[in-house]
Amino acid sequence: MSERSLRGTQLGSRSLETEEGVEPAPRQMVEFECEDGTRFKVPFSIEAEVPSTWDSGIHGVGHRVGVNEPDGEPGKHVRSHWDMLLERRSFDELQVLLDERLAVRRGEVPAQA
């Protein structure tokens, strides 16, 4: 019974809603230029933060036309394992630990539990 009711409706291929009364969000066209001189435009919402660079997908990364300086926001420094280790121990303490472990590895000192 349910198969007959869906037959011929092309489920998912077309919307049954009309575009009457629908207004698209306001847009701005931003122009970028690649190093090889190629210019391209990308639409952005009026409310969006426009980046100073954009990847064209063909010619590489383009810089925004009319903006001389890159983004002034420095990237957040990602702490590595080494950085976190140096927060807990000094370099001299780490050198002593390394020497002890190398001596155990070489068989010069028996390993302790």
Side-chain angles (χ1 to χ4, degrees):
M1 182 76 158
S2 64
E3 292 176 12
R4 287 188 196 170
S5 63
L6 294 177
R7 187 179 302 162
T9 59
Q10 296 178 348
L11 188 65
S13 63
R14 280 187 240 170
S15 173
L16 300 176
E17 295 183 19
T18 64
E19 293 187 14
E20 184 177 316
V22 176
E23 294 182 26
R27 304 257 179 229
Q28 61 179 335
M29 296 300 288
V30 179
E31 190 172 16
F32 294 90
E33 183 176 11
C34 296
E35 290 182 9
D36 63 356
T38 306
R39 288 184 173 226
F40 60 96
K41 293 183 179 182
V42 179
F44 286 95
S45 171
I46 295 291
E47 301 168 356
E49 256 186 66
V50 180
S52 61
T53 60
W54 191 265
D55 189 1
S56 72
I58 299 171
H59 300 281
V61 176
H63 296 279
R64 187 173 172 191
V65 175
V67 176
N68 293 334
E69 70 269 356
D71 290 339
E73 303 172 13
K76 183 179 177 183
H77 175 68
V78 179
R79 288 177 25 194
S80 67
H81 293 292
W82 179 249
D83 294 333
M84 290 185 266
L85 188 63
L86 287 177
E87 289 174 4
R88 294 191 307 268
R89 299 193 185 256
S90 70
F91 190 77
D92 293 333
E93 290 174 323
L94 292 173
Q95 187 64 46
V96 169
L97 287 173
L98 176 63
D99 293 338
E100 288 175 4
R101 294 312 301 168
L102 286 174
V104 169
R105 189 80 175 137
R106 291 181 186 128
E108 298 169 2
V109 178
Q112 297 178 3

